[in-house]
Coordinates of all heavy atoms in Angstrom, one line a residue:
L446 N 1.8 40.2 50.6 CA 1.8 40.5 49.2 C 3.2 40.6 48.7 O 3.5 40.1 47.6 CB 1.1 41.7 49.0 CG -0.5 41.6 49.0 CD1 -1.0 43.1 48.9 CD2 -1.0 40.8 47.7
D447 N 4.1 41.2 49.6 CA 5.4 41.2 49.1 C 6.2 39.9 48.9 O 7.3 39.9 48.2 CB 6.2 42.2 50.1 CG 5.6 43.6 50.2 OD1 5.1 44.0 49.2 OD2 5.9 44.2 51.2
D448 N 5.7 38.8 49.4 CA 6.3 37.7 49.4 C 6.0 36.9 48.1 O 6.6 35.8 47.8 CB 6.0 36.8 50.6 CG 6.4 37.4 52.0 OD1 7.6 37.8 52.0 OD2 5.7 37.3 52.9
L449 N 5.0 37.3 47.5 CA 4.4 36.6 46.3 C 5.2 36.8 45.1 O 5.7 37.9 44.8 CB 2.9 36.9 46.1 CG 2.0 36.7 47.2 CD1 0.6 37.1 46.8 CD2 2.1 35.2 47.6
K450 N 5.4 35.8 44.3 CA 6.2 35.9 43.0 C 5.3 35.5 41.8 O 4.8 34.4 41.9 CB 7.4 35.0 43.0 CG 8.2 35.0 41.7 CD 9.3 34.0 41.7 CE 10.1 34.0 40.4 NZ 11.2 33.0 40.4
V451 N 4.9 36.5 41.0 CA 4.0 36.2 39.9 C 4.8 35.5 38.8 O 5.9 36.0 38.5 CB 3.5 37.6 39.3 CG1 2.6 37.3 38.0 CG2 2.7 38.3 40.4
V452 N 4.3 34.4 38.4 CA 5.1 33.5 37.5 C 4.4 33.4 36.1 O 5.0 32.7 35.2 CB 5.4 32.1 38.1 CG1 6.3 32.3 39.3 CG2 4.1 31.4 38.4
T453 N 3.3 34.0 35.9 CA 2.5 33.8 34.8 C 2.4 35.2 34.0 O 2.8 36.2 34.6 CB 1.0 33.4 35.0 OG1 0.5 34.2 36.1 CG2 1.0 32.0 35.4
K454 N 2.1 35.1 32.8 CA 2.0 36.3 32.0 C 1.0 37.2 32.5 O 1.2 38.5 32.5 CB 1.6 36.0 30.5 CG 2.6 35.2 29.8 CD 2.2 34.8 28.4 CE 3.2 33.9 27.7 NZ 2.7 33.5 26.3
R455 N -0.1 36.8 33.1 CA -1.1 37.7 33.7 C -0.9 37.7 35.2 O -0.8 36.6 35.8 CB -2.5 37.1 33.4 CG -3.6 38.1 33.9 CD -5.1 37.6 33.5 NE -5.6 36.5 34.2 CZ -6.1 36.6 35.5 NH1 -6.1 37.8 36.0 NH2 -6.6 35.5 36.1
A456 N -0.9 39.0 35.7 CA -0.8 39.0 37.2 C -2.3 39.1 37.8 O -3.2 39.5 37.1 CB -0.2 40.4 37.6
P457 N -2.3 38.5 38.9 CA -3.7 38.5 39.6 C -4.2 40.0 39.8 O -3.5 41.0 40.1 CB -3.4 37.9 41.0 CG -2.0 37.3 40.9 CD -1.3 38.1 39.9
S458 N -5.5 40.1 39.8 CA -6.2 41.3 40.0 C -6.1 41.6 41.6 O -5.8 40.8 42.4 CB -7.7 41.3 39.6 OG -8.4 40.4 40.5
E459 N -6.6 42.8 42.0 CA -6.5 43.0 43.4 C -7.5 42.2 44.2 O -7.1 41.7 45.3 CB -7.0 44.5 43.6 CG -7.0 44.9 45.1 CD -7.4 46.5 45.2 OE1 -7.5 47.2 44.1 OE2 -7.6 47.0 46.3
Q460 N -8.6 41.9 43.6 CA -9.6 41.0 44.3 C -9.0 39.5 44.3 O -9.1 38.9 45.4 CB -10.8 40.9 43.7 CG -12.0 40.0 44.5 CD -12.2 40.4 45.9 OE1 -12.4 41.7 46.2 NE2 -12.2 39.6 46.7
E461 N -8.4 39.1 43.2 CA -7.9 37.8 43.3 C -6.7 37.6 44.3 O -6.6 36.7 45.0 CB -7.2 37.6 41.9 CG -8.3 37.3 40.9 CD -7.8 37.0 39.4 OE1 -6.7 37.6 39.1 OE2 -8.3 36.3 38.7
L462 N -5.9 38.7 44.5 CA -4.8 38.7 45.5 C -5.4 38.5 46.8 O -4.9 37.8 47.7 CB -4.0 39.9 45.3 CG -3.0 40.0 44.1 CD1 -2.4 41.4 44.0 CD2 -1.9 38.9 44.3
K463 N -6.4 39.2 47.1 CA -7.1 39.2 48.4 C -7.5 37.7 48.7 O -7.3 37.2 49.7 CB -8.2 40.1 48.6 CG -7.9 41.6 48.6 CD -9.1 42.5 48.8 CE -8.7 43.9 48.9 NZ -10.0 44.8 48.9
D464 N -8.2 37.2 47.7 CA -8.7 35.8 47.8 C -7.6 34.7 47.9 O -7.7 33.7 48.6 CB -9.7 35.5 46.7 CG -11.0 36.0 46.8 OD1 -11.3 36.5 48.1 OD2 -11.8 36.2 46.0
L465 N -6.5 35.0 47.2 CA -5.4 34.1 47.2 C -4.8 34.1 48.6 O -4.4 32.9 49.1 CB -4.3 34.5 46.2 CG -4.6 34.3 44.7 CD1 -3.7 35.0 43.6 CD2 -4.7 32.8 44.4
L466 N -4.5 35.2 49.3 CA -4.0 35.2 50.6 C -4.9 34.5 51.6 O -4.5 33.9 52.5 CB -3.6 36.7 50.9 CG -2.5 37.4 50.2 CD1 -2.4 38.9 50.6 CD2 -1.2 36.7 50.5
F467 N -6.3 34.8 51.4 CA -7.3 34.2 52.2 C -7.1 32.6 52.1 O -7.0 31.9 53.0 CB -8.6 34.7 51.8 CG -9.8 34.0 52.5 CD1 -10.3 34.8 53.6 CD2 -10.3 32.7 52.4 CE1 -11.4 34.2 54.4 CE2 -11.1 32.2 53.1 CZ -11.8 32.9 54.0
A468 N -7.0 32.1 50.8 CA -7.0 30.7 50.6 C -5.8 30.1 51.2 O -5.8 29.0 51.7 CB -7.1 30.5 49.1
W469 N -4.7 30.9 51.1 CA -3.3 30.4 51.6 C -3.4 30.2 53.2 O -3.0 29.2 53.7 CB -2.2 31.3 51.2 CG -1.0 30.8 51.5 CD1 0.0 31.3 52.5 CD2 -0.2 29.6 50.9 NE1 1.1 30.6 52.5 CE2 1.0 29.6 51.5 CE3 -0.6 28.8 49.9 CZ2 1.9 28.6 51.2 CZ3 0.3 27.9 49.5 CH2 1.5 27.7 50.1
K470 N -4.1 31.2 53.9 CA -4.2 30.9 55.3 C -5.0 29.7 55.6 O -4.7 28.9 56.6 CB -5.0 32.2 55.9 CG -4.3 33.5 55.9 CD -5.0 34.6 56.4 CE -4.2 35.9 56.5 NZ -5.0 37.0 57.1
V471 N -6.0 29.4 54.8 CA -6.9 28.2 55.1 C -6.1 26.9 54.8 O -6.2 26.0 55.6 CB -8.2 28.2 54.2 CG1 -9.0 27.0 54.5 CG2 -9.1 29.5 54.7
A472 N -5.3 27.0 53.7 CA -4.5 25.8 53.2 C -3.6 25.3 54.3 O -3.5 24.1 54.5 CB -3.8 26.2 52.0
K473 N -3.1 26.1 55.2 CA -2.2 25.8 56.3 C -2.9 24.9 57.3 O -2.2 24.0 58.0 CB -1.7 27.0 56.9 CG -0.6 26.7 58.0 CD 0.0 28.0 58.4 CE -0.6 28.7 59.5 NZ 0.1 29.9 60.0
H474 N -4.2 24.8 57.3 CA -5.0 24.2 58.2 C -5.8 22.9 57.7 O -6.6 22.4 58.4 CB -5.9 25.1 59.1 CG -5.2 26.1 59.8 ND1 -4.9 25.9 61.1 CD2 -4.7 27.3 59.4 CE1 -4.2 27.0 61.6 NE2 -4.1 27.8 60.5
V475 N -5.5 22.5 56.5 CA -6.2 21.5 55.8 C -5.2 20.3 55.6 O -4.0 20.6 55.2 CB -6.8 21.9 54.4 CG1 -7.5 20.7 53.7 CG2 -7.7 23.1 54.6
K476 N -5.7 19.2 56.0 CA -4.8 17.9 55.8 C -4.4 17.8 54.3 O -5.1 17.9 53.4 CB -5.6 16.6 56.2 CG -5.9 16.7 57.7 CD -4.6 16.6 58.6 CE -5.0 16.6 60.0 NZ -5.7 15.4 60.5
S477 N -3.1 17.4 54.1 CA -2.5 17.3 52.8 C -3.0 16.0 52.2 O -3.3 14.9 52.9 CB -1.0 17.3 52.8 OG -0.6 18.5 53.4
N478 N -3.0 15.9 50.9 CA -3.0 16.9 49.9 C -4.2 17.9 50.0 O -5.3 17.5 49.9 CB -2.9 16.5 48.5 CG -1.4 15.7 48.3 OD1 -0.5 16.4 48.4 ND2 -1.5 14.6 47.8
A479 N -4.0 19.2 50.1 CA -5.0 20.2 50.3 C -5.1 21.1 49.2 O -4.2 21.6 48.6 CB -4.7 21.0 51.6
I480 N -6.4 21.2 48.7 CA -6.8 22.1 47.7 C -8.0 23.0 48.2 O -9.0 22.4 48.6 CB -7.2 21.5 46.3 CG1 -6.0 20.8 45.7 CG2 -7.9 22.4 45.4 CD1 -4.9 21.7 45.2
I481 N -8.0 24.3 48.0 CA -9.0 25.3 48.5 C -9.4 26.2 47.6 O -8.5 27.0 47.0 CB -8.5 25.9 49.9 CG1 -8.1 25.0 50.9 CG2 -9.6 26.9 50.3 CD1 -6.7 24.6 50.9
Y482 N -10.7 26.2 47.1 CA -11.2 27.2 46.2 C -11.9 28.3 47.1 O -12.6 28.0 48.0 CB -12.4 26.5 45.4 CG -11.9 25.5 44.4 CD1 -11.7 24.2 44.7 CD2 -11.9 25.9 43.1 CE1 -11.3 23.3 43.7 CE2 -11.4 24.9 42.0 CZ -11.2 23.6 42.4 OH -10.9 22.8 41.4
V483 N -11.6 29.6 46.8 CA -12.0 30.7 47.5 C -12.6 31.7 46.6 O -12.1 31.9 45.4 CB -11.0 31.3 48.3 CG1 -11.3 32.7 49.0 CG2 -10.5 30.4 49.5
K484 N -13.7 32.4 46.9 CA -14.3 33.5 46.1 C -14.9 34.5 47.1 O -15.7 34.2 47.9 CB -15.3 32.9 45.3 CG -16.0 33.9 44.3 CD -17.0 33.4 43.3 CE -17.6 34.3 42.4 NZ -18.5 33.6 41.4
D485 N -14.4 35.7 46.9 CA -14.9 36.8 47.7 C -14.8 36.6 49.3 O -15.7 36.9 50.0 CB -16.3 37.2 47.3 CG -16.4 37.6 45.8 OD1 -15.4 38.2 45.3 OD2 -17.5 37.3 45.2
G486 N -13.7 36.1 49.6 CA -13.4 36.0 51.1 C -14.2 34.8 51.7 O -14.6 34.8 53.0
A487 N -14.5 33.7 51.0 CA -15.1 32.6 51.5 C -14.7 31.4 50.8 O -14.5 31.4 49.5 CB -16.7 32.7 51.4
T488 N -14.5 30.3 51.4 CA -14.2 28.9 50.8 C -15.5 28.5 50.0 O -16.5 28.6 50.5 CB -13.9 27.8 51.7 OG1 -14.8 27.7 52.7 CG2 -12.5 28.2 52.4
V489 N -15.3 27.9 48.8 CA -16.4 27.5 48.0 C -16.2 26.1 47.7 O -16.9 25.4 47.1 CB -16.7 28.4 46.7 CG1 -17.1 29.7 47.1 CG2 -15.4 28.4 45.9
G490 N -15.0 25.5 48.1 CA -14.7 24.0 47.9 C -13.5 23.8 48.6 O -12.5 24.4 48.4
V491 N -13.5 22.6 49.3 CA -12.3 22.2 50.0 C -12.0 20.6 49.7 O -12.9 19.8 49.9 CB -12.5 22.4 51.6 CG1 -11.2 21.8 52.4 CG2 -12.7 23.9 51.9
G492 N -10.9 20.4 49.2 CA -10.5 19.0 49.1 C -9.2 18.7 50.0 O -8.2 19.3 50.0
A493 N -9.4 17.8 50.9 CA -8.5 17.4 51.9 C -8.1 16.0 52.0 O -8.8 15.1 51.7 CB -9.2 17.8 53.3
G494 N -6.8 15.8 52.4 CA -6.3 14.5 52.7 C -6.3 13.4 51.8 O -6.3 12.2 52.1
Q495 N -6.2 13.8 50.4 CA -6.2 12.8 49.5 C -4.6 12.5 49.0 O -3.7 13.3 49.2 CB -6.9 13.3 48.1 CG -8.3 13.6 48.3 CD -9.0 12.4 48.9 OE1 -9.0 11.4 48.2 NE2 -9.7 12.6 50.0
M496 N -4.5 11.2 48.6 CA -3.1 10.8 48.3 C -2.6 11.4 47.0 O -1.4 11.6 46.8 CB -3.1 9.3 48.1 CG -3.3 8.6 49.5 SD -4.9 8.7 50.1 CE -5.8 7.7 49.0
S497 N -3.6 11.9 46.1 CA -3.2 12.6 44.9 C -3.8 14.0 44.9 O -4.9 14.2 45.3 CB -3.9 11.8 43.7 OG -4.0 12.5 42.6
R498 N -2.9 14.9 44.5 CA -3.3 16.3 44.5 C -4.4 16.6 43.5 O -5.4 17.3 43.7 CB -2.2 17.3 44.2 CG -2.3 18.8 44.5 CD -1.1 19.4 44.8 NE -0.3 18.9 45.8 CZ -0.5 19.3 47.1 NH1 -1.5 20.1 47.4 NH2 0.2 18.6 48.0
V499 N -4.4 16.0 42.4 CA -5.5 16.2 41.4 C -6.8 15.6 41.9 O -7.8 16.2 41.7 CB -5.2 15.6 40.0 CG1 -5.2 14.0 40.2 CG2 -6.1 16.0 38.9
D500 N -6.8 14.5 42.8 CA -8.1 14.1 43.4 C -8.6 15.1 44.4 O -9.9 15.4 44.4 CB -7.7 12.8 44.0 CG -7.7 11.6 43.1 OD1 -8.1 11.8 41.9 OD2 -7.2 10.5 43.5
S501 N -7.7 15.8 45.1 CA -8.2 16.8 46.0 C -8.9 17.9 45.2 O -9.9 18.6 45.6 CB -7.0 17.4 46.9 OG -6.7 16.5 47.9
T502 N -8.2 18.2 44.1 CA -8.8 19.3 43.2 C -10.1 19.0 42.6 O -11.1 19.8 42.7 CB -7.8 19.6 42.1 OG1 -6.5 19.7 42.5 CG2 -8.2 20.9 41.3
R503 N -10.4 17.7 42.3 CA -11.7 17.3 41.8 C -12.7 17.2 42.8 O -13.8 17.5 42.6 CB -11.4 15.9 41.1 CG -10.7 15.9 39.9 CD -10.3 14.5 39.4 NE -9.7 14.4 38.1 CZ -8.7 13.5 37.8 NH1 -8.5 12.4 38.6 NH2 -8.1 13.5 36.7
I504 N -12.3 16.7 44.0 CA -13.3 16.6 45.1 C -13.8 17.9 45.5 O -15.1 18.1 45.7 CB -12.7 15.9 46.4 CG1 -12.4 14.3 46.0 CG2 -13.4 15.9 47.5 CD1 -11.6 13.6 47.0
A505 N -12.9 18.9 45.6 CA -13.3 20.1 46.1 C -14.3 20.9 45.1 O -15.3 21.4 45.4 CB -12.1 21.1 46.2
A506 N -14.0 20.7 43.7 CA -14.7 21.2 42.7 C -16.2 20.5 42.7 O -17.2 21.1 42.5 CB -14.2 21.0 41.4
R507 N -16.3 19.1 42.9 CA -17.4 18.4 43.0 C -18.3 18.9 44.2 O -19.6 18.8 44.0 CB -17.1 16.8 43.0 CG -18.4 16.1 43.3 CD -19.4 16.2 42.1 NE -20.7 15.6 42.3 CZ -21.0 14.3 41.8 NH1 -20.0 13.7 41.1 NH2 -22.1 13.9 42.1
K508 N -17.7 19.1 45.3 CA -18.5 19.5 46.5 C -19.2 20.8 46.1 O -20.3 21.1 46.5 CB -17.6 19.7 47.6 CG -17.4 18.3 48.4 CD -16.4 18.6 49.7 CE -16.5 17.2 50.5 NZ -17.8 17.1 51.2
S509 N -18.4 21.7 45.4 CA -19.0 23.0 45.0 C -20.2 22.8 44.1 O -21.2 23.5 44.2 CB -17.9 23.9 44.3 OG -18.5 25.2 44.1
E510 N -20.1 21.9 43.2 CA -21.2 21.5 42.3 C -22.4 21.1 43.0 O -23.6 21.5 42.7 CB -20.8 20.4 41.3 CG -19.7 20.9 40.2 CD -19.2 19.8 39.4 OE1 -19.7 18.6 39.5 OE2 -18.2 20.1 38.6
D511 N -22.1 20.2 44.1 CA -23.3 19.6 44.8 C -24.0 20.8 45.7 O -25.2 20.8 45.8 CB -22.8 18.6 45.8 CG -22.3 17.3 45.1 OD1 -22.6 17.2 43.9 OD2 -21.5 16.5 45.7
M512 N -23.1 21.7 46.1 CA -23.8 22.8 46.9 C -24.5 23.7 46.0 O -25.7 24.2 46.4 CB -22.7 23.5 47.6 CG -22.3 22.9 49.0 SD -23.7 22.6 50.1 CE -24.5 24.2 50.2
A513 N -24.0 24.0 44.8 CA -24.8 24.9 43.9 C -26.1 24.2 43.6 O -27.1 25.0 43.5 CB -23.9 25.0 42.6
E514 N -26.2 23.0 43.3 CA -27.4 22.3 43.1 C -28.4 22.4 44.3 O -29.6 22.6 44.2 CB -27.1 20.8 42.8 CG -28.5 20.0 42.3 CD -28.1 18.6 42.0 OE1 -27.0 18.3 41.8 OE2 -29.1 17.8 41.8
A515 N -27.8 22.1 45.4 CA -28.7 22.2 46.7 C -29.2 23.6 46.9 O -30.4 23.8 47.4 CB -27.8 21.8 48.0
M516 N -28.4 24.6 46.6 CA -28.8 26.0 46.9 C -29.6 26.6 45.6 O -30.0 27.8 45.7 CB -27.6 26.9 47.1 CG -26.9 26.6 48.4 SD -25.2 27.3 48.5 CE -25.7 29.0 48.7
G517 N -29.7 25.9 44.5 CA -30.5 26.4 43.4 C -29.7 27.4 42.7 O -30.3 28.2 41.9
L518 N -28.4 27.3 42.6 CA -27.5 28.2 41.9 C -27.4 27.8 40.4 O -27.5 26.6 40.1 CB -26.3 28.4 42.5 CG -26.1 28.8 44.0 CD1 -24.7 28.9 44.4 CD2 -26.8 30.2 44.1
S519 N -27.2 28.7 39.5 CA -27.1 28.4 38.2 C -25.7 27.9 37.8 O -25.6 27.1 36.8 CB -27.4 29.6 37.1 OG -26.5 30.7 37.7
A520 N -24.8 28.1 38.6 CA -23.4 27.6 38.3 C -22.7 27.3 39.7 O -23.1 28.1 40.7 CB -22.7 28.5 37.5
P521 N -21.8 26.5 39.8 CA -21.0 26.4 41.1 C -20.2 27.5 41.3 O -19.8 28.5 40.5 CB -20.0 25.1 40.7 CG -20.6 24.4 39.6 CD -21.3 25.5 38.8
L522 N -20.0 27.8 42.7 CA -19.3 29.1 43.1 C -17.8 29.0 42.7 O -17.0 30.0 42.9 CB -19.5 29.3 44.5 CG -20.8 29.7 45.0 CD1 -21.0 29.8 46.4 CD2 -21.2 31.1 44.4

Side-chain angles (χ1 to χ4, degrees):
L446 281 174
D447 293 337
D448 299 317
L449 302 180
K450 178 183 178 182
V451 178
V452 294
T453 47
K454 294 176 181 178
R455 183 174 78 78
S458 67
E459 183 177 348
Q460 182 58 49
E461 285 174 330
L462 283 170
K463 288 180 181 179
D464 283 344
L465 289 169
L466 290 174
F467 179 102
W469 188 249
K470 289 179 179 179
V471 177
K473 186 166 86 172
H474 296 267
V475 179
K476 295 293 178 68
S477 301
N478 288 304
I480 293 291
I481 300 89
Y482 291 81
V483 168
K484 186 174 183 179
D485 297 330
T488 57
V489 294
V491 178
Q495 298 305 303
M496 292 67 75
S497 158
R498 191 157 301 278
V499 67
D500 283 344
S501 288
T502 311
R503 290 169 178 152
I504 288 171
R507 176 57 188 267
K508 280 182 167 289
S509 185
E510 291 174 4
D511 292 344
M512 278 308 305
E514 182 178 347
M516 295 169 64
L518 303 179
S519 59
L522 289 175

